[in-house]
Amino acid sequence: MIDLSLNEVETLSAKAARGAGFSWGLAEDIGRAARRIAVEDDNWGIAMLSLAENAQSLDPPDPARAAGWRRGEADKPAQTPLCPIRTAALLLDDPLPASALPLAISNVGLPIWLDAMLRRSAMVVRPIGPAMRADVVVELRAEIGQPITGRRGAIDERTLAALNCFAARTYVPESERSRMRGAGGGRVDDE
C-alpha cells in the first residue's frame, strides 16, 4: 500500500477523471469528491478506478427526467445507469425545491460518487441497493459537516498504476523540439 496525501488524492483523481473523458470542471469536482471519499474510506482508489473505467457507459440525466424531479414526480428509470457526477452537478447547479425532496432516483451508477459530490451541500444521499448500481433517495441534510483533515489516502500499487494510465491521457505528447530542449530552458541553463 502507498499512502498519498489528500492533495495527491485530489490531483491524481482530477487528472484520471479528465483522462476518462470528463470535462476539466467536472474533473476538478471529482478530485474534491475523491478527497472526501479518501477521508472516510480506504477504498477511494477502487472507487476512482471504477468511475474512470465506467465513465463512458453512464448516462447524464435526461432533461425531461430532471424536469419530473423538479415537479416531485416519481422517477422513471432508464436502462443505462445514471452518471453520478453529472446528476450531482445538475442537482448542485439547479437545486430542487424543498417540496420535491425527498427524491427517489432510480438506477444511479456508483452512488458513492453522488453522495461524495453532494456531501457539502444541503442534500444527503441514501443508497438503496448494491454498490455498483443503486436506487438512491436524496433528502435535505440536517446540518452540513465540516471537512475532516489530517488523513492520508492509502492505495495499492496496481490501482495507482491504472489511475496513472488514465491521468497520462491528459499529457501533451513530446515533440522533437521538446526532446532536444529537455526540461530546462535550452542548451544553456542560465537561471
Short mmCIF file of all heavy atoms in Angstrom, two decimals, residues 54-85:
data_model
loop_
_atom_site.label_atom_id
_atom_site.label_comp_id
_atom_site.label_asym_id
_atom_site.label_seq_id
_atom_site.Cartn_x
_atom_site.Cartn_y
_atom_site.Cartn_z
N ASN A 54 -15.83 3.18 -16.03
CA ASN A 54 -17.23 3.13 -16.43
C ASN A 54 -17.78 4.47 -16.90
O ASN A 54 -18.98 4.58 -17.19
CB ASN A 54 -18.08 2.62 -15.26
CG ASN A 54 -17.78 1.18 -14.95
OD1 ASN A 54 -18.06 0.30 -15.75
ND2 ASN A 54 -17.17 0.92 -13.80
N ALA A 55 -16.96 5.49 -16.97
CA ALA A 55 -17.42 6.85 -17.29
C ALA A 55 -18.22 6.91 -18.59
O ALA A 55 -19.24 7.61 -18.66
CB ALA A 55 -16.24 7.81 -17.35
N GLN A 56 -17.80 6.21 -19.60
CA GLN A 56 -18.46 6.30 -20.90
C GLN A 56 -19.75 5.49 -20.97
O GLN A 56 -20.55 5.67 -21.89
CB GLN A 56 -17.50 5.87 -22.00
CG GLN A 56 -16.24 6.69 -22.07
CD GLN A 56 -16.50 8.18 -22.17
OE1 GLN A 56 -17.32 8.62 -22.96
NE2 GLN A 56 -15.82 8.96 -21.35
N SER A 57 -19.98 4.62 -19.99
CA SER A 57 -21.19 3.79 -20.01
C SER A 57 -22.29 4.33 -19.08
O SER A 57 -23.33 3.68 -18.93
CB SER A 57 -20.85 2.34 -19.63
OG SER A 57 -20.40 2.28 -18.30
N LEU A 58 -22.07 5.48 -18.48
CA LEU A 58 -23.05 6.09 -17.58
C LEU A 58 -23.69 7.28 -18.28
O LEU A 58 -23.00 8.12 -18.85
CB LEU A 58 -22.38 6.54 -16.28
CG LEU A 58 -21.70 5.43 -15.47
CD1 LEU A 58 -20.85 6.03 -14.36
CD2 LEU A 58 -22.72 4.47 -14.90
N ASP A 59 -25.02 7.34 -18.25
CA ASP A 59 -25.74 8.40 -18.95
C ASP A 59 -25.97 9.63 -18.07
O ASP A 59 -26.26 9.48 -16.88
CB ASP A 59 -27.11 7.90 -19.42
CG ASP A 59 -27.03 7.02 -20.64
OD1 ASP A 59 -25.97 7.02 -21.32
OD2 ASP A 59 -28.02 6.33 -20.94
N PRO A 60 -25.91 10.83 -18.66
CA PRO A 60 -26.30 12.03 -17.91
C PRO A 60 -27.82 12.02 -17.73
O PRO A 60 -28.53 11.35 -18.48
CB PRO A 60 -25.85 13.18 -18.81
CG PRO A 60 -25.82 12.59 -20.18
CD PRO A 60 -25.49 11.14 -20.02
N PRO A 61 -28.32 12.77 -16.76
CA PRO A 61 -29.78 12.81 -16.59
C PRO A 61 -30.45 13.46 -17.80
O PRO A 61 -29.99 14.49 -18.29
CB PRO A 61 -29.99 13.64 -15.33
CG PRO A 61 -28.67 14.05 -14.85
CD PRO A 61 -27.62 13.54 -15.77
N ASP A 62 -31.49 12.84 -18.28
CA ASP A 62 -32.28 13.36 -19.38
C ASP A 62 -33.02 14.61 -18.91
O ASP A 62 -33.54 14.63 -17.79
CB ASP A 62 -33.28 12.27 -19.80
CG ASP A 62 -34.19 12.72 -20.90
OD1 ASP A 62 -33.77 12.64 -22.06
OD2 ASP A 62 -35.31 13.16 -20.58
N PRO A 63 -33.07 15.68 -19.72
CA PRO A 63 -33.76 16.90 -19.28
C PRO A 63 -35.22 16.68 -18.87
O PRO A 63 -35.69 17.27 -17.90
CB PRO A 63 -33.65 17.83 -20.49
CG PRO A 63 -32.44 17.35 -21.22
CD PRO A 63 -32.40 15.86 -21.01
N ALA A 64 -35.91 15.82 -19.58
CA ALA A 64 -37.31 15.55 -19.23
C ALA A 64 -37.40 14.84 -17.88
O ALA A 64 -38.30 15.12 -17.07
CB ALA A 64 -37.97 14.71 -20.31
N ARG A 65 -36.47 13.94 -17.64
CA ARG A 65 -36.43 13.23 -16.36
C ARG A 65 -36.14 14.20 -15.23
O ARG A 65 -36.78 14.16 -14.18
CB ARG A 65 -35.37 12.14 -16.44
CG ARG A 65 -35.36 11.17 -15.30
CD ARG A 65 -34.36 10.07 -15.56
NE ARG A 65 -34.26 9.15 -14.45
CZ ARG A 65 -33.39 8.17 -14.36
NH1 ARG A 65 -32.55 7.95 -15.37
NH2 ARG A 65 -33.36 7.39 -13.31
N ALA A 66 -35.17 15.07 -15.43
CA ALA A 66 -34.82 16.06 -14.40
C ALA A 66 -35.98 17.02 -14.15
O ALA A 66 -36.21 17.44 -13.01
CB ALA A 66 -33.58 16.84 -14.82
N ALA A 67 -36.73 17.38 -15.20
CA ALA A 67 -37.90 18.25 -15.02
C ALA A 67 -38.94 17.56 -14.15
O ALA A 67 -39.60 18.21 -13.31
CB ALA A 67 -38.48 18.63 -16.38
N GLY A 68 -39.09 16.26 -14.32
CA GLY A 68 -40.00 15.49 -13.47
C GLY A 68 -39.56 15.51 -12.01
O GLY A 68 -40.40 15.58 -11.11
N TRP A 69 -38.25 15.45 -11.78
CA TRP A 69 -37.74 15.53 -10.41
C TRP A 69 -38.15 16.85 -9.78
O TRP A 69 -38.57 16.90 -8.63
CB TRP A 69 -36.23 15.41 -10.37
CG TRP A 69 -35.65 14.13 -10.86
CD1 TRP A 69 -36.30 12.94 -11.05
CD2 TRP A 69 -34.29 13.89 -11.21
NE1 TRP A 69 -35.43 11.98 -11.50
CE2 TRP A 69 -34.19 12.54 -11.61
CE3 TRP A 69 -33.16 14.68 -11.24
CZ2 TRP A 69 -32.99 11.97 -12.02
CZ3 TRP A 69 -31.96 14.13 -11.66
CH2 TRP A 69 -31.87 12.78 -12.02
N ARG A 70 -38.02 17.93 -10.54
CA ARG A 70 -38.34 19.27 -10.02
C ARG A 70 -39.81 19.38 -9.66
O ARG A 70 -40.18 20.12 -8.76
CB ARG A 70 -37.98 20.35 -11.03
CG ARG A 70 -36.50 20.45 -11.31
CD ARG A 70 -36.12 21.71 -12.03
NE ARG A 70 -36.37 22.90 -11.24
CZ ARG A 70 -35.68 23.28 -10.17
NH1 ARG A 70 -34.70 22.53 -9.71
NH2 ARG A 70 -35.97 24.39 -9.54
N ARG A 71 -40.65 18.66 -10.40
CA ARG A 71 -42.09 18.70 -10.12
C ARG A 71 -42.49 17.72 -9.02
O ARG A 71 -43.66 17.63 -8.66
CB ARG A 71 -42.88 18.40 -11.39
CG ARG A 71 -42.77 19.48 -12.45
CD ARG A 71 -43.71 19.23 -13.63
NE ARG A 71 -43.42 17.98 -14.32
CZ ARG A 71 -42.62 17.85 -15.37
NH1 ARG A 71 -42.00 18.91 -15.85
NH2 ARG A 71 -42.43 16.68 -15.95
N GLY A 72 -41.54 16.94 -8.50
CA GLY A 72 -41.83 15.98 -7.45
C GLY A 72 -42.47 14.70 -7.95
O GLY A 72 -43.05 13.94 -7.18
N GLU A 73 -42.34 14.43 -9.26
CA GLU A 73 -42.92 13.22 -9.84
C GLU A 73 -42.03 12.02 -9.55
O GLU A 73 -40.83 12.15 -9.35
CB GLU A 73 -43.06 13.39 -11.36
CG GLU A 73 -44.02 14.48 -11.76
CD GLU A 73 -44.02 14.75 -13.26
OE1 GLU A 73 -43.28 14.06 -14.01
OE2 GLU A 73 -44.75 15.66 -13.67
N ALA A 74 -42.63 10.83 -9.56
CA ALA A 74 -41.88 9.60 -9.36
C ALA A 74 -40.90 9.43 -10.52
O ALA A 74 -41.23 9.73 -11.68
CB ALA A 74 -42.83 8.41 -9.29
N ASP A 75 -39.70 8.98 -10.21
CA ASP A 75 -38.66 8.82 -11.22
C ASP A 75 -38.98 7.66 -12.15
O ASP A 75 -39.48 6.62 -11.71
CB ASP A 75 -37.30 8.59 -10.54
CG ASP A 75 -36.15 8.63 -11.52
OD1 ASP A 75 -36.22 9.41 -12.49
OD2 ASP A 75 -35.18 7.89 -11.30
N LYS A 76 -38.68 7.83 -13.42
CA LYS A 76 -38.84 6.78 -14.41
C LYS A 76 -37.45 6.31 -14.81
O LYS A 76 -36.72 7.03 -15.49
CB LYS A 76 -39.60 7.33 -15.63
CG LYS A 76 -41.01 7.75 -15.29
CD LYS A 76 -41.70 8.33 -16.49
CE LYS A 76 -43.10 8.74 -16.12
NZ LYS A 76 -43.30 10.15 -16.03
N PRO A 77 -37.05 5.13 -14.35
CA PRO A 77 -35.68 4.68 -14.60
C PRO A 77 -35.41 4.39 -16.07
O PRO A 77 -36.30 3.99 -16.81
CB PRO A 77 -35.57 3.40 -13.77
CG PRO A 77 -36.97 2.91 -13.65
CD PRO A 77 -37.84 4.12 -13.64
N ALA A 78 -34.19 4.61 -16.45
CA ALA A 78 -33.72 4.28 -17.79
C ALA A 78 -32.97 2.96 -17.73
O ALA A 78 -32.63 2.48 -16.65
CB ALA A 78 -32.81 5.39 -18.31
N GLN A 79 -32.70 2.38 -18.89
CA GLN A 79 -31.97 1.11 -18.95
C GLN A 79 -30.53 1.28 -18.48
O GLN A 79 -30.00 0.44 -17.78
CB GLN A 79 -31.98 0.56 -20.38
CG GLN A 79 -33.33 0.06 -20.82
CD GLN A 79 -33.75 -1.17 -20.04
OE1 GLN A 79 -34.36 -1.06 -18.99
NE2 GLN A 79 -33.40 -2.32 -20.53
N THR A 80 -29.89 2.37 -18.92
CA THR A 80 -28.49 2.62 -18.59
C THR A 80 -28.41 3.38 -17.27
O THR A 80 -29.17 4.32 -17.06
CB THR A 80 -27.83 3.45 -19.71
OG1 THR A 80 -28.05 2.79 -20.95
CG2 THR A 80 -26.34 3.59 -19.48
N PRO A 81 -27.48 3.00 -16.39
CA PRO A 81 -27.36 3.72 -15.12
C PRO A 81 -27.02 5.20 -15.33
O PRO A 81 -26.32 5.56 -16.27
CB PRO A 81 -26.20 3.01 -14.40
CG PRO A 81 -26.03 1.72 -15.10
CD PRO A 81 -26.52 1.90 -16.50
N LEU A 82 -27.52 6.01 -14.42
CA LEU A 82 -27.23 7.45 -14.44
C LEU A 82 -25.81 7.71 -14.01
O LEU A 82 -25.29 7.05 -13.09
CB LEU A 82 -28.15 8.19 -13.47
CG LEU A 82 -29.50 8.65 -13.96
CD1 LEU A 82 -30.27 9.27 -12.82
CD2 LEU A 82 -29.38 9.61 -15.10
N CYS A 83 -25.18 8.70 -14.60
CA CYS A 83 -23.85 9.13 -14.18
C CYS A 83 -24.00 9.89 -12.86
O CYS A 83 -24.70 10.90 -12.80
CB CYS A 83 -23.24 10.04 -15.24
SG CYS A 83 -21.67 10.75 -14.74
N PRO A 84 -23.35 9.44 -11.80
CA PRO A 84 -23.50 10.12 -10.51
C PRO A 84 -22.90 11.52 -10.52
O PRO A 84 -23.39 12.42 -9.83
CB PRO A 84 -22.75 9.21 -9.54
CG PRO A 84 -21.74 8.51 -10.39
CD PRO A 84 -22.40 8.34 -11.72
N ILE A 85 -21.89 11.75 -11.32
CA ILE A 85 -21.21 13.04 -11.37
C ILE A 85 -22.10 14.08 -12.06
O ILE A 85 -22.32 15.17 -11.54
CB ILE A 85 -19.86 12.93 -12.11
CG1 ILE A 85 -18.97 11.85 -11.45
CG2 ILE A 85 -19.17 14.28 -12.18
CD1 ILE A 85 -18.70 12.05 -9.97
#
